[in-house]
Amino acid sequence: MDTMFFNEKDYKKMIETAVNVSVIGVLVLCQGLLPIHAGNVRVAQVTAPDFDTGQIKMRILNEFSPEVRRQNFDTMVRQKYPKAVIIDVTSGVKHVKLTKYYAGKPVRINVVEVDMKLAKDLELTPALSSNSTLKSRRSISTIAKNNNAVVALNGTYFKPQTGVPLGTLMINKKMYTGPIYDRVAMGIFDNGFDIARVQLNATVKGSGQTIKVDNINQPRMLSTYVLAYTPDWGKTSPYAPKYGMNLLVENNVITKASANPVEIPENGFVISGPKSVLEPLLDKKDAKLTVNTSPEWKNVKHIISGGPYLVKDDEIFVDMTAQKLGAIGGRNPRSAIGYTADNNLILVAVDGREGSSIGMTLMELANFMKQIGCTNAMNLDGGGSTVMYVKGQIVNKPHQKGGIPLSNAIILSSISGD
């Protein structure tokens, strides 16, 4: 059998030839849509639109030629950030360092922009500080190194005393924590992203009953809430609320009822809530937990929450009050995540609370995310949590060297694990 070898020049020429043939085919098809006559009666008329063949050719080349796509990505980033320091991290990943001025004072900004089609060997995913429990905090460098991350940015809010994330967090289709105040979250899919305010749609079914579950692995806000605690919460559940009970469920069977903390089984969960609501489940002692979200987000792989919105459907939109985030107003260090119309990922870390970088307001951050091309974007945890890691280094200047210990991060890691 003869073996054929193609160098890059041959490959590029072959791709360009195929593209030219495709463009010609499109034009021939459109020119072929001519008026159809039956005698003197015009049956149909389709006018071929004006085509910019150069644009068509470039779009097809950009989709199928990695070399052309790289060149276009390089050009786009240079034009978008004309006075910035731009560093190549790996294929399709750019680290951008720039300073902007607000009211005559400087703000240091680090941006990572990613063409996900060029960075096909990397995956975007949330990462916890520990694989065994939600109640953990570690430095972003440790989280990144434990997950073979090339890039990492601090993630969603968390309870400082314990490290439990506060808001929706799903990793590899497993729901770790549910939403708080229906805050905005980013859904990560194999072929793109979505951002929306997320509600939990969860139930526990048993004994012919369907009972609404208000949250998963989150602190109790009301004594009337029904909460589910999975093994990720820790070894034991909290106490039941006043006039309430905890039900221990193993392999979908209730094995224990108590008002005291109970051990959470590896093959089950604990349901905690008002006794009057949960007691009917004891009839046949079967209980099955089902967890969904609204929006349903079919085929979503990961979800990470934040808040508030910064850009929504290509418009600046900061709903701080609606998401009960009034406490994070003012000028502060900020972290944000968003994506462009072409599904390029954008991660941002803004330094603040110092003379050399005064931080941003949420509205300033929203305007910045819009200016750099985000069609949708949201704020992440900020302040002392803001820290960005790129290729083994902390690239911004958090107040605490290396950044404070974090509960979770959003990372770009190698799919192969290398």
Side-chain angles (χ1 to χ4, degrees):
M1 180 184 292
D2 294 332
T3 304
M4 297 180 67
F5 295 95
F6 291 93
N7 60 31
E8 188 172 335
K9 190 174 179 181
D10 293 332
Y11 176 75
K12 191 173 179 182
K13 187 175 180 181
M14 183 173 65
I15 289 289
E16 191 159 351
T17 301
V19 168
N20 285 331
V21 170
S22 299
V23 172
I24 292 168
V26 169
L27 293 174
V28 169
L29 175 64
C30 291
Q31 292 297 328
L33 297 175
L34 298 175
I36 300 172
H37 296 271
N40 292 324
V41 179
R42 177 167 288 185
V43 177
Q45 180 173 353
V46 181
T47 303
D50 293 330
F51 279 95
D52 184 333
T53 56
Q55 280 190 357
I56 295 174
K57 181 177 176 180
M58 183 51 65
R59 290 182 70 177
I60 296 173
L61 277 170
N62 193 59
E63 194 65 28
F64 293 103
S65 169
E67 180 59 31
V68 171
R69 192 175 190 96
R70 271 193 293 272
Q71 291 172 359
N72 289 343
F73 183 55
D74 289 346
T75 301
M76 180 273 294
V77 171
R78 284 197 304 271
Q79 290 174 347
K80 186 188 289 191
Y81 309 97
K83 296 181 180 179
V85 175
I86 301 170
I87 303 159
D88 288 321
V89 179
T90 187
S91 178
V93 182
K94 303 282 190 182
H95 173 210
V96 182
K97 298 174 75 73
L98 68 153
T99 300
K100 290 179 71 71
Y101 288 83
Y102 295 87
K105 295 183 179 180
V107 176
R108 276 194 315 271
I109 307 169
N110 281 271
V111 180
V112 168
E113 183 152 350
V114 186
D115 182 321
M116 297 301 291
K117 289 189 176 179
L118 288 174
K120 59 183 182 298
D121 294 329
L122 299 177
E123 180 183 15
L124 181 71
T125 175
L128 287 162
S129 66
S130 170
N131 292 327
S132 57
T133 178
L134 294 171
K135 297 176 181 179
S136 172
R137 294 174 62 193
R138 290 178 179 160
S139 71
I140 199 166
S141 296
T142 299
I143 296 172
K145 288 171 184 175
N146 287 346
N147 291 277
N148 300 300
V150 176
V151 174
L153 178 67
N154 64 288
T156 191
Y157 303 100
F158 59 92
K159 195 167 184 178
Q161 299 88 337
T162 63
V164 174
L166 296 174
T168 315
L169 189 68
M170 174 190 282
I171 304 174
N172 290 320
K173 299 190 176 182
K174 178 182 177 181
M175 185 72 78
Y176 284 86
T177 53
I180 290 179
Y181 303 123
D182 306 335
R183 284 179 181 162
V184 66
M186 184 181 206
I188 303 167
F189 303 78
D190 281 332
N191 58 350
F193 315 105
D194 195 10
I195 289 181
R197 290 187 68 179
V198 171
Q199 296 178 325
L200 189 69
N201 181 14
T203 59
V204 60
K205 296 182 179 181
S207 301
Q209 308 286 323
T210 299
I211 296 170
K212 180 178 182 291
V213 174
D214 295 285
N215 223 323
I216 296 172
N217 292 333
Q218 291 287 255
R220 179 175 294 281
M221 294 185 179
L222 294 174
S223 62
T224 55
Y225 278 1
V226 173
L227 303 180
Y229 297 100
T230 71
D232 301 298
W233 173 263
K235 291 185 178 180
T236 58
S237 72
Y239 282 92
K242 189 176 182 181
Y243 308 118
M245 64 193 307
N246 290 327
L247 299 182
L248 174 61
V249 183
E250 296 181 88
N251 294 317
N252 297 330
V253 177
I254 299 170
T255 59
K256 184 177 181 179
S258 174
N260 296 319
V262 295
E263 189 171 338
I264 304 172
E266 286 297 322
N267 56 350
F269 54 93
V270 171
I271 290 290
S272 179
K275 188 175 181 181
S276 59
V277 175
L278 298 182
E279 208 165 28
L281 292 174
L282 295 173
D283 182 25
K284 296 179 181 177
K285 295 191 175 181
D286 59 320
K288 183 178 180 181
L289 179 65
T290 303
V291 180
N292 291 299
T293 61
S294 177
E296 190 174 354
W297 275 350
K298 288 183 179 179
N299 302 318
V300 68
K301 287 185 71 176
H302 318 288
I303 303 174
I304 188 166
S305 68
Y309 263 113
L310 297 170
V311 182
K312 182 181 180 183
D313 299 330
D314 212 28
E315 298 291 336
I316 291 168
F317 184 79
V318 180
D319 55 342
M320 182 170 60
T321 303
Q323 296 191 38
K324 300 190 188 318
L325 287 165
I328 67 164
R331 189 175 290 282
N332 287 294
R334 301 284 183 192
S335 300
I337 187 170
Y339 56 92
T340 70
D342 295 327
N343 267 331
N344 278 9
L345 172 72
I346 291 181
L347 301 172
V348 171
V350 177
D351 288 333
R353 297 177 185 169
E354 55 180 289
S356 59
S357 186
I358 61 171
M360 281 185 177
T361 66
L362 285 167
M363 190 56 71
E364 287 168 349
L365 181 60
N367 274 281
F368 178 73
M369 299 300 281
K370 167 76 172 162
Q371 287 167 8
I372 61 174
C374 289
T375 55
N376 285 282
M378 70 179 191
N379 186 59
L380 294 170
D381 191 11
S385 296
T386 290
V387 57
M388 180 180 276
Y389 168 104
V390 178
K391 218 168 184 181
Q393 302 292 327
I394 304 300
V395 295
N396 69 317
K397 294 184 179 178
H399 278 277
Q400 181 173 318
K401 188 176 181 181
I404 67 170
L406 301 172
S407 153
N408 63 92
I410 184 80
I411 65 171
L412 270 171
S413 60
S414 171
I415 292 173
S416 65
D418 297 332

